[in-house]
C-alpha cells in the first residue's frame, strides 16, 4: 500500500515508534515487578520520554521540507515536529508530577494510558487525512477518559471520567458526521487534496459551511472554547491533578494543531466565513472564560476557566490565518503549556500537604514556602501576560497577528479581556502573599515535583526573555503550512 | 562603544533582585546592606551617565544595540537623549534614597527589596529604550511590582483596594497603548520597532489623528492625567514610604515620558491635531489637583493630590509642543520627582513615629526633627515655584510656553501657584511650627543620620538646579531640539 518504505517515512514516525517501545517496556516490566518496587515504573516512563524527546529532537527534524508520507496519511513537517516535542515534554512533566500521587502512581496502566494518549497527540499533529485524524483523536481521547476517572475510589474523579466520556463521545460523533459529509462531497479523505476539490466547487457552499460547523464543534471540544467548554471545569476539578495538567496543556495544544492544519489546508476557500466564526468564538471564550473565572473558589476550576480564556487568545492567531498568526498560536501554546505545568505543579505540591485545592487553602503560602509562592507568582504573571515572562511575548504576538490581519477590533477586545484576567490572577496571588497561613510549616516538596516546576518556570522565563529560539521554531512551523 | 553603562544600569537592579531572593530570609541586616550597596552602585552609575552626557554631541548617546528578535525587527536598543539622561539620574537618586529610608521594613524585607529593584530595572529600561518593544517590555515590568509592593507592605486599611485599582488603571492604559504601538508597527511597513527608524515612517495624517489619543492617553494614565488620575493619590497613600517615593517621584514620569517618546515624537501631526483639548484637560489637572490638595487633612493625600497638580504641569508643558513648554516639562519631571520623593520621605518619617498622618493631630516637629523640617520647607519652596529652587527653573518656562500658545490658560493655571503656596504653608505651619500635641509628647525623637543623608541629597539637587540652572538646562534643550525637529514647532 505504501510502496517502498523510505528512511524519511521512518523518521516521520520516529517519535511514535519510540513511544511505543517505551510503552512495551513499561508494560512488560509492570508484569514482573514486585509490589514493593513499583516506583520504578515512573522512572522508566520518565527516562523513556526523555529518550524519545532527544531522539525526536535530533533525528526527526524535517527542516524546510514538508512531505506527505505513508500514503498521504501523515505530513512530515515542522508543525508536527515542534508540536510532538511539546507533547512529549508535557507528558514527561505529567509523569514527574504524578510521582507519589496516591492510588495512581504505582499502577502500570496509568503510565501506559499516558503514553498511549501521547502517541495519539503526536499523530494528531501530523495527520493529513480524515481517517488518520479521527483515529488519532480517538487514540488521544479514550485513554484520557479513563485517566480522568482513574481514582475509582473518588466520586468526583469518577464523575469527571464519565462526564468527559459522554461529552467527548457525543462531540466526536458529530465531528465524524462532518468528516463523512466532507468525504462524501469531496471524494477524498486527504486534507490537502480536499482543498483542491473544494475550490473546484465539489462541495456546495451551504453544505461546506455546515460541515465546517460540525467539525468545529468537535475540535472546539478538544480545545475547550465557548460554547464547547462546559465539560472542562468539572473534569479538571475531578481528575487527578497531573491529568488535569496534561488535559489542559497537551490535549488542548493537540486540538489547536489540528484546528490550524484543517482550517488552513482544507478550507482556504471560505476563509472569511471561518475567520468570522472563530473570531466570535474567540471573543466569547475570552470573556466568558475570564468573567466566570472571577467567581471561582477552587484553583483547579479557576485554571480551567482561565484555560478557556487562553484558548480564546490563541484562537486570535488562528483567525489571523497568516504566517505570523500561526507562529503566534505556536508560541502561545509553547508558553501556555510550560506555564500551566508550573501552575499545576504548585497546586499538586501544596494540595498534597493541605489536602485541598481551594484558593483559601493557599493563603500565606509565601510565608510557608517563599520559593513555591515565587513559582506560582511567575506562572500566574505569565498567564496574565506580564514581562519578562513568556505570556507577555505570546500575547503580544497574537495581538500583533490580529492587528496585521486587519482585526484591530479583536485585538482591542483581547487586551480588555486580559485585564479581567489580570484581576483574578492577582486575587490568587493576594491570598498567597497576604493571607494568614493556617500553619507556618514549610511545605515539603517531592524531588520529582521540584524538578518539574523548576524546569517549567525556567522555560517560562526563557520564552519571555530570549525570544528568538522559540520564535524560530514557531515561525518555521507556521511556514510549513503555507 | 565602551563600557555598556546603560545595560549595566538596567540589569544590575534586576540581577541584584534575583540574588536577594536567595539570601537567608532571617538575616535582615545582610539583606539591607546588600540592597543599600546595590542602590549606591546604581546611583553612582546614573551620575556617570548624567555627567558623561555631552550636551553638544549626538542626540542619543551611550547607544547600544543588539538583535533580540530580528525577524520582527525587535532589538535591544538603548540610549539616552537630553531629556532621558536627567531622568536616569532621578531614578538613581530615588532608588538610593528610597533604600536608605527603608531600613524599618521588617516583614519579608528580602522580597521587598527584590520587587523594588525589579521596579527600578523596569523604570531605567523605559527611560533608555530606543525600541518600542523594549520600551513596552520594561514599562510593564515597571508597573507590575507596584501591586505587590503596595498590597503586601502598604498601609493596612486601604492597601488591597489601592493596589488593585492602581494596577488595573495602569494596565488598561498600557494595553491600549500596546494596540496603538502595534498599529504603528504594521502601518509603517518598515518591519521594525526601532524608535529611530519609526521617526521617519511618515505616518499618514489620518492614521496619526486616529491613533495618537490611544497611545498618548494609554501612557499618560501613568502620568496621572485628568480624568484618569484617580488611582494615583489612593496609591500614594497606601504605599509604604519608599514605594510612594518611587511611585510619585519616578513612576509617574514614565507615563509622561512614554507619552512624549511614543505619542508626540512619533505622531507629531496627531499631536498637533489633538493638543488643544489635551491642554484643557491638563489645566483641570493643575487647578483641580491643587484645590483638592488644599482640602485634604491627611498629610499623604495632600501630597498625593499635589503630585496630580504638578504632573499636570508636566503634561501641560508637553501639550504646548513649543520649545519653552517642552524644556519646562522636562525639567519639571526631575524637579517634581526629587521634591515629591522628599515630601513622602518626610511624611513617612513622621508617620513612623506619630502613627497618624492627620495634619490637625500633628505639630511641633521643628523642635524634634529640625533637619526634616528644613528639608520639607525647601521642598515646599520648590513646590511653590520660588526662584532659587528647581521648581522655578521648571515652572517658569512652562508658563511661558503656555502663554505663547493660549494666554488665558496660563493665567488660569497660575491660580494653582497661589493655592499650592496656601496648602504647603498651612501644612508647614501646623505640622512643624504648631504646638506639639500632648498625645505625641515623649514618643517622638530625631531622625537618623542616614535619613538626614537621604534628605540632604534630595535638597542639594533641588537647590543646585535652582541656583545653577546651567547644570540641566543645556542638556534638556539639546533633547528638546530633537523633539522640535520632529514636531516642527517654534
Amino acid at each position: 500500500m505504501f510502496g517502498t518504505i523510505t528512511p524519511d517515512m521512518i523518521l516521520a514516525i520516529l517519535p511514535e515508534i519510540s513511544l511505543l517501545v517505551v510503552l512495551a517496556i513499561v508494560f512488560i516490566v509492570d508484569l514482573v515487578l514486585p509490589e514493593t518496587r513499583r516506583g520504578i515504573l515512573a522512572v522508566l516512563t520518565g527516562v523513556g520520554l526523555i529518550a524519545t524527546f532527544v531522539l525526536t529532537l535530533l533525528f526527526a527534524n524535517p527542516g524546510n521540507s514538508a512531505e506527505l508520507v505513508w500514503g498521504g496519511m501523515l505530513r512530515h513537517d515542522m508543525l508536527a515536529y515542534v508540536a510532538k516535542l511539546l507533547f512529549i515534554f508535557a507528558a514527561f512533566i505529567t509523569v514527574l508530577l504524578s510521582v507519589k500521587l496516591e492510588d495512581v502512581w504505582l499502577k502500570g496502566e496509568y503510565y501506559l494510558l499516558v503514553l498511549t494518549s501521547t502517541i495519539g497527540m503526536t499523530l494528531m499533529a501530523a495527520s493529513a487525512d480524515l481517517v488518520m485524524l479521527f483515529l488519532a483523536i480517538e487514540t488521544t481521547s479514550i485513554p484520557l477518559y479513563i485517566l480522568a476517572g482513574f481514582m475509582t475510589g473518588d466520586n468526583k474523579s469518577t464523575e469527571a471520567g464519565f462526564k468527559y466520556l459522554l461529552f467527548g463521545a457525543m462531540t466526536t460523533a458529530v465531528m465524524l458526521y462532518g468528516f463523512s459529509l466532507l468525504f462524501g462531497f469531496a471524494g477524498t479523505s486527504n486534507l490537502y487534496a480536499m482543498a483542491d476539490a473544494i475550490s473546484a466547487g465539489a462541495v456546495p457552499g451551504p453544505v461546506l459551511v455546515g460541515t465546517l460547523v460540525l467539525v468545529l464543534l468537535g475540535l472546539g471540544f478538544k480545545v475547550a472554547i465557548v460554547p464547547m467548554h462546559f465539560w472542562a471545569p468539572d473534569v479538571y476539578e475531578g481528575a487527578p491533578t497531573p491529568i488535569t495538567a496534561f488535559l489542559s496543556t497537551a490535549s488542548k495544544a493537540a486540538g489547536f494543531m489540528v484546528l490550524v492544519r484543517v482550517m488552513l489546508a482544507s478550507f482556504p476557500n471560505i476563509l472569511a466565513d471561518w475567520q468570522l466564526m472563530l473570531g466570535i468564538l474567540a471573543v466569547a471564550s475570552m470573556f466568558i472564560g475570564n468573567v466566570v473565572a472571577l467567581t471561582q473558589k477552587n484553583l483547579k476550576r479557576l485554571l480551567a476557566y482561565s484555560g478557556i480564556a487562553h484558548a480564546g487568545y490563541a484562537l486570535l492567531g488562528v483567525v489571523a490565518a497568516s504566517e505570523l498568526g500561526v507562529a503566534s498560536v505556536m508560541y502561545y501554546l509553547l508558553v501556555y503549556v510550560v506555564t500551566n505545568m508550573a501552575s499545576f505543579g504548585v497546586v499538586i505540591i501544596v494540595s498534597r500537604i493541605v489536602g485541598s485545592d481551594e484558593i483559601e487553602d493557599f493563603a500565606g503560602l509565601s510565608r510557608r514556602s517563599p520559593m513555591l509562592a515565587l513559582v506560582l507568582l511567575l506562572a500566574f504573571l505569565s498567564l496574565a501576560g506580564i514581562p519578562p515572562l513568556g505570556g507577555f511575548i505570546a500575547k503580544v504576538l497574537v495581538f500583533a497577528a490580529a492587528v496585521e490581519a486587519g482585526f484591530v477590533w479583536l485585538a482591542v477586545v483581547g487586551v480588555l479581556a486580559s485585564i479581567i484576567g489580570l484581576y483574578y490572577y492577582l486575587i490568587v496571588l493576594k491570598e498567597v502573599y497576604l493571607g494568614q497561613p493556617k500553619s507556618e510549616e514549610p511545605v515539603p516538596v517531592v524531588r520529582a515535583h521540584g524538578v518539574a516546576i523548576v524546569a517549567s518556570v525556567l522555560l517560562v522565563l526563557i520564552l519571555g526573555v530570549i525570544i528568538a529560539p522559540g520564535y524560530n521554531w514557531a515561525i518555521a512551523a507556521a511556514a510549513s503550512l503555507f | 562603544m565602551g563600557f555598556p553603562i546603560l545595560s549595566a544600569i538596567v540589569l544590575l537592579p534586576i540581577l541584584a533582585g534575583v540574588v536577594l531572593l536567595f539570601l537567608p530570609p532571617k538575616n535582615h541586616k545582610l539583606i539591607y546592606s546588600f540592597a543599600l550597596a546595590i542602590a549606591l552602585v546604581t546611583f553612582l552609575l546614573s551620575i556617570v551617565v548624567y555627567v558623561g552626557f555631552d550636551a553638544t554631541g549626538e542626540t542619543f548617546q551611550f547607544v547600544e544595540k543588539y538583535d533580540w528578535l530580528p525577524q520582527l525587527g525587535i532589538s535591544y536598543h538603548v540610549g539616552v537623549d537630553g531629556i532621558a539622561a536627567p531622568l536616569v539620574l532621578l531614578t538613581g537618586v530615588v532608588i538610593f534614597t528610597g533604600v536608605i529610608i527603608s531600613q524599618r521594613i521588617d516583614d519579608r524585607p528580602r522580597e521587598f527589596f527584590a520587587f523594588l529593584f525589579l521596579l527600578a530595572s523596569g523604570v531605567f529600561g523605559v527611560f533608555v529604550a530606543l525600541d518600542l518593544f523594549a520600551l513596552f517590555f520594561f514599562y510593564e515590568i515597571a508597573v507590575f511590582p507596584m501591586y505587590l509592593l503596595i498590597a503586601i507592605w502598604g498601609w493596612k486599611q486601604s492597601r488591597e483596594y489601592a493596589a488593585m485599582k492602581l494596577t488595573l488603571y495602569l494596565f488598561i492604559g498600557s494595553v491600549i497603548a500596546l494596540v496603538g504601538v502595534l498599529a504603528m508597527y504594521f502601518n509603517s511597513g518598515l518591519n521594525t520597532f526601532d524608535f529611530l527608524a519609526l521617526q521617519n515612517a511618515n505616518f499618514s495624517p489620518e492614521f496619526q489623528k486616529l491613533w495618537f489619543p490611544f497611545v498618548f492617553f494609554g501612557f499618560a494614565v501613568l502620568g496621572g492625567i485628568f480624568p484618569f488620575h484617580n488611582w494615583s493619590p489612593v496609591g500614594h497613600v497606601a504605599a509604604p514610604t519608599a514605594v510612594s517615593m518611587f511611585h510619585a517621584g519616578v513612576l509617574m514620569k514614565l507615563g509622561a515620558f512614554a507619552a512624549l517618546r511614543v505619542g508626540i515624537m512619533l505622531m507629531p501631526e496627531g499631536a498637533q491635531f489633538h493638543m488643544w483639548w489635551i491642554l484643557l484637560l491638563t489645566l483641570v489637572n493643575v487647578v483641580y489637583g491643587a484645590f483638592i490638595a488644599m482640602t485634604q487633612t491627611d498629610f499623604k493625600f495632600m501630597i498625593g493630590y499635589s503630585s496630580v497638580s504638578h504632573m499636570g504641569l508636566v503634561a501641560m508643558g508637553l501639550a504646548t509642543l513649543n520649545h519653552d513648554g517642552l524644556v519646562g516639562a522636562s525639567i519639571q519631571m526631575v524637579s517634581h520627582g526629587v521634591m515629591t520623593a522628599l515630601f513622602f520621605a518626610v511624611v513617612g518619617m513622621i508617620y513612623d513615629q506619630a502613627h497618624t498622618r492627620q495634619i490637625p493631630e500633628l505639630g511641633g516637629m521643628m523642635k524634634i526633627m529640625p533637619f526634616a523640617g528644613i528639608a520639607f520647607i525647601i521642598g515646599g519652596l520648590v513646590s511653590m515655584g520660588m526662584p532659587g529652587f528647581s521648581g522655578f527653573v521648571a515652572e517658569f518656562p512652562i508658563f511661558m510656553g503656555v502663554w505663547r500658545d493660549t494666554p488665558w490658560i496660563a493665567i488660569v493655571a497660575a491660580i494653582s501657584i497661589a493655592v499650592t503656596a496656601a496648602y504647603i504653608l498651612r501644612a508647614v505651619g501646623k505640622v512643624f511650627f504648631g504646638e506639639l500635641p500632648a498625645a505625641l509628647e515623649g514618643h517622638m525623637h530625631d531622625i537618623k543620620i542616614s535619613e538626614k543623608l537621604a534628605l540632604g541629597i534630595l535638597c542639594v539637587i533641588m537647590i543646585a538646579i535652582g541656583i545653577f540652572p546651567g547644570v540641566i538646562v543645556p542638556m534638556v534643550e539639546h533633547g528638546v531640539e530633537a523633539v522640535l525637529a520632529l514636531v516642527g514647532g517654534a
Side-chain angles (χ1 to χ4, degrees):
Chain A
M1 168 182 184
F2 304 120
T4 21
I5 292 176
T6 62
D8 262 4
M9 294 166 72
I10 299 297
L11 287 183
I13 56 166
L14 185 67
E16 288 81 359
I17 296 174
S18 170
L19 285 171
L20 212 55
V21 172
V22 177
L23 195 144
I25 294 173
V26 174
F27 183 68
I28 294 166
V29 173
D30 181 38
L31 291 178
V32 298
L33 212 58
E35 200 62 39
T36 48
R37 309 195 45 201
R38 309 202 75 117
I40 292 177
L41 290 173
V43 179
L44 263 181
T45 317
V47 171
L49 283 166
I50 293 178
T52 309
F53 189 89
V54 173
L55 274 179
T56 310
L57 186 69
L58 294 182
F59 300 112
N61 189 336
N64 288 328
S65 74
E67 51 174 344
L68 291 172
V69 290
W70 298 104
M73 285 291 149
L74 296 174
R75 192 161 188 262
H76 186 41
D77 59 13
M78 272 307 277
L79 186 84
Y81 171 70
V82 177
K84 285 176 185 183
L85 287 172
L86 184 63
F87 303 149
I88 296 164
F89 171 80
F92 173 65
I93 299 288
T94 305
V95 169
L96 283 184
L97 291 177
S98 306
V99 170
K100 302 278 179 198
L101 184 69
E102 240 173 286
D103 296 340
V104 171
W105 84 294
L106 293 178
K107 294 188 179 157
E109 56 270 35
Y110 179 78
Y111 301 102
L112 298 181
L113 289 167
V114 170
L115 288 168
T116 315
S117 183
T118 311
I119 294 175
M121 290 172 191
T122 57
L123 288 173
M124 267 169 88
S127 295
D129 191 286
L130 288 179
V131 178
M132 190 64 222
L133 185 58
F134 183 74
L135 285 175
I137 292 177
E138 287 302 87
T139 311
T140 308
S141 303
I142 293 171
L144 285 175
Y145 301 149
I146 307 172
L147 285 168
F150 202 80
M151 299 193 292
T152 42
D154 179 284
N155 280 342
K156 271 194 171 169
S157 174
T158 314
E159 180 199 328
F162 255 101
K163 200 168 241 172
Y164 192 30
L165 168 69
L166 288 177
F167 286 133
M170 189 179 76
T171 48
T172 312
V174 173
M175 181 168 66
L176 187 59
Y177 183 55
F179 282 178
S180 66
L181 282 176
L182 271 179
F183 174 67
F185 278 99
T188 168
S189 61
N190 187 288
L191 293 177
Y192 289 85
M194 206 180 296
D196 299 333
I198 290 172
S199 44
V203 190
V207 176
L208 193 59
V209 176
T211 50
L212 182 67
V213 172
L214 297 178
V215 172
L216 276 183
L217 207 66
L219 294 178
F221 174 83
K222 293 280 344 153
V223 300
I225 48 173
V226 173
M228 287 75 76
H229 66 288
F230 38 76
W231 60 277
D234 292 340
V235 174
Y236 283 20
E237 191 189 354
T241 313
I243 295 307
T244 309
F246 197 47
L247 263 178
S248 82
T249 56
S251 167
K252 198 179 275 250
F256 265 106
M257 291 304 110
V258 176
L259 190 64
V260 169
R261 193 186 289 278
V262 170
M263 287 300 146
L264 289 171
S266 308
F267 295 104
N269 268 55
I270 47 168
L271 182 74
D273 291 282
W274 63 256
Q275 276 184 321
L276 183 65
M277 244 188 260
L278 289 181
I280 292 168
L281 293 185
V283 171
S285 301
M286 290 187 290
F287 271 93
I288 294 178
N290 277 331
V291 169
V292 182
L294 287 177
T295 63
Q296 299 306 312
K297 303 260 182 281
N298 181 295
L299 206 45
K300 281 162 86 178
R301 288 184 82 86
L302 180 130
L303 283 169
Y305 283 107
S306 119
I308 292 165
H310 283 286
Y313 299 121
L315 214 48
L316 293 181
V318 185
V319 171
S322 58
E323 227 174 277
L324 179 61
V326 178
S328 71
V329 176
M330 207 69 210
Y331 203 90
Y332 207 100
L333 293 173
L334 291 176
V335 170
Y336 176 76
V337 167
V338 293
T339 309
N340 251 19
M341 281 300 177
S343 320
F344 278 112
V346 176
V347 174
I348 288 168
I349 292 169
V350 176
S351 62
R352 206 172 76 88
I353 302 305
V354 304
S356 129
D357 30 52
E358 300 295 310
I359 293 169
E360 57 182 29
D361 288 310
F362 283 70
L365 183 63
S366 137
R367 288 180 198 280
R368 295 184 71 170
S369 302
M371 284 300 149
L372 281 181
L374 187 69
V375 171
L376 196 66
L377 175 80
L378 292 175
F380 270 33
L381 293 187
S382 173
L383 289 175
I386 288 170
L389 303 162
F392 171 74
I393 311 294
K395 280 221 172 73
V396 171
L397 288 176
V398 290
F399 295 146
V403 172
E404 184 200 37
F407 292 96
V408 177
W409 65 276
L410 271 180
V412 172
V413 170
V415 297
L416 292 180
S418 72
I419 298 292
I420 309 176
L422 178 66
Y423 180 80
Y424 61 81
Y425 296 124
L426 287 183
I427 294 285
V428 176
L429 294 176
K430 195 184 82 185
E431 272 302 316
V432 167
Y433 275 88
L434 280 176
Q436 280 306 319
K438 286 176 183 153
S439 126
E440 295 279 339
E441 293 279 295
V443 177
V445 180
V446 177
R447 192 178 299 156
H449 297 174
V451 172
I453 60 172
V454 169
S456 304
V457 103
L458 282 179
L459 282 171
V460 172
L461 273 168
I462 289 171
L463 285 167
V465 178
I466 313 166
I467 312 161
Y471 185 78
N472 285 339
W473 265 12
I475 199 78
S480 70
L481 289 190
F482 288 90
Chain B
M1 193 193 293
F3 178 67
I5 187 160
L6 293 183
S7 294
I9 285 190
V10 172
L11 296 178
L12 178 68
I14 201 170
L15 294 178
V18 174
V19 173
L20 267 171
L21 287 175
F22 290 95
L23 294 180
K26 301 280 182 242
N27 193 343
H28 290 191
K29 196 154 186 181
L30 172 69
I31 291 167
Y32 180 74
S33 316
F34 181 76
L36 193 61
I38 295 296
L40 177 63
V41 175
T42 314
F43 178 41
L44 294 177
L45 285 173
S46 70
I47 292 178
V48 174
V49 170
Y50 188 84
V51 174
F53 188 87
D54 175 7
T56 54
E58 298 276 312
T59 306
F60 288 100
Q61 301 178 15
F62 303 105
V63 174
E64 296 167 44
K65 188 171 183 183
Y66 310 99
D67 277 345
W68 196 352
L69 185 57
Q71 296 93 326
L72 291 181
I74 295 172
S75 57
Y76 172 83
H77 187 186
V78 295
V80 286
D81 63 356
I83 298 175
L87 292 170
V88 169
L89 177 65
L90 170 71
T91 313
V93 171
V94 176
I95 186 77
F96 180 54
T97 52
V99 170
I100 289 182
I101 60 120
S102 296
Q103 211 167 355
R104 287 201 198 83
I105 299 279
D106 51 7
D107 176 21
R108 287 172 277 179
R110 131 187 121 133
E111 277 88 354
F112 177 82
F113 288 115
F115 292 142
L116 194 65
F117 280 138
L118 180 62
L119 177 66
S121 271
V123 171
F124 278 124
V126 174
F127 287 144
V128 303
L130 288 181
D131 179 279
L132 294 191
F133 182 86
L135 184 139
F136 227 88
F137 187 86
F138 289 120
Y139 189 87
E140 305 229 359
I141 290 184
V143 169
F144 181 73
M146 287 301 285
Y147 176 78
L148 294 165
L149 286 167
I150 295 178
I152 302 178
W153 292 276
W155 183 47
K156 284 202 172 61
Q157 272 148 38
S158 66
R159 60 188 183 187
E160 293 181 19
Y161 166 75
M164 188 62 91
K165 182 169 189 170
L166 176 144
T167 312
L168 293 182
Y169 258 92
L170 299 187
F171 267 89
I172 292 174
S174 77
V175 292
I176 287 175
L178 172 66
V179 177
V181 168
L182 290 175
M184 285 159 77
Y185 171 78
F186 288 112
N187 188 273
S188 75
L190 299 172
N191 190 32
T192 178
F193 281 96
D194 194 89
F195 178 76
L196 300 179
L198 287 172
Q199 279 184 345
N200 306 319
N202 292 322
F203 297 110
S204 72
E206 292 73 31
F207 178 85
Q208 296 195 22
K209 283 173 195 168
L210 173 64
W211 285 102
F212 177 78
F214 286 88
V215 173
F216 185 85
F217 277 94
F219 287 123
V221 170
L222 182 52
I225 198 161
F226 181 85
F228 307 114
H229 65 287
N230 212 323
W231 57 273
S232 140
V234 181
H236 289 135
V237 170
T241 302
V243 178
S244 297
M245 290 169 67
F246 223 88
H247 175 182
V250 182
L251 208 61
M252 289 178 83
K253 277 75 196 169
L254 282 192
F257 178 80
L260 170 68
R261 261 286 148 79
V262 187
I264 296 176
M265 290 176 81
L266 293 184
M267 292 190 280
E269 286 178 60
Q272 273 157 354
F273 181 77
H274 288 285
M275 270 314 177
W276 67 271
W277 60 272
I278 292 176
L279 197 60
L280 290 179
L281 287 183
T282 64
L283 178 64
V284 179
N285 256 80
V286 172
V287 178
Y288 170 82
F291 273 106
I292 301 282
M294 177 96 186
T295 65
Q296 299 302 316
T297 56
D298 184 311
F299 210 172
K300 226 172 172 183
F301 260 116
M302 183 190 96
I303 296 166
Y305 278 104
S306 116
S307 279
V308 171
S309 170
H310 283 100
M311 283 307 293
L313 279 173
V314 173
M316 187 180 263
L318 295 180
T320 62
L321 297 178
N322 61 34
H323 172 270
D324 295 347
L326 290 170
V327 169
S330 307
I331 301 175
Q332 173 78 346
M333 285 201 251
V334 179
S335 164
H336 171 256
V338 177
M339 166 194 102
T340 205
L342 180 133
F343 280 161
F344 280 117
V346 173
V347 173
M349 289 167 193
I350 294 175
Y351 178 75
D352 277 345
Q353 299 185 24
H355 302 290
T356 176
R357 293 189 310 252
Q358 290 300 319
I359 294 171
E361 294 172 15
L362 293 167
M365 294 298 157
M366 202 63 192
K367 285 193 191 122
I368 294 166
M369 37 178 88
F371 195 91
I374 291 169
F376 190 90
I377 292 168
I378 292 175
L381 294 173
V382 171
S383 180
M384 290 180 250
M386 279 288 161
F389 297 95
S390 60
F392 179 76
V393 180
E395 291 181 17
F396 190 70
I398 294 179
F399 282 108
M400 285 201 343
V402 178
W403 186 277
R404 270 180 221 280
D405 194 79
T406 328
W408 71 265
I409 289 189
I411 295 169
V412 178
I415 297 173
S416 75
I417 298 183
V419 180
T420 304
Y423 66 75
I424 293 286
L425 291 176
R426 188 193 59 165
V428 169
K430 179 73 183 89
V431 174
F432 292 98
F433 293 103
E435 207 152 304
L436 182 67
L440 297 180
E441 204 98 42
H443 292 296
M444 309 288 292
H445 44 81
D446 200 5
I447 58 176
K448 292 184 191 161
I449 302 280
S450 59
E451 292 173 326
K452 287 182 185 169
L453 173 70
L455 297 181
I457 293 173
L458 296 170
C459 287
V460 166
I461 295 173
M462 292 188 292
I463 296 172
I465 295 178
I467 298 180
F468 309 106
V471 297
I472 186 168
V473 174
M475 188 186 290
V476 168
E477 280 186 322
H478 180 66
V480 167
E481 294 300 324
V483 179
L484 290 175
L486 295 169
V487 180

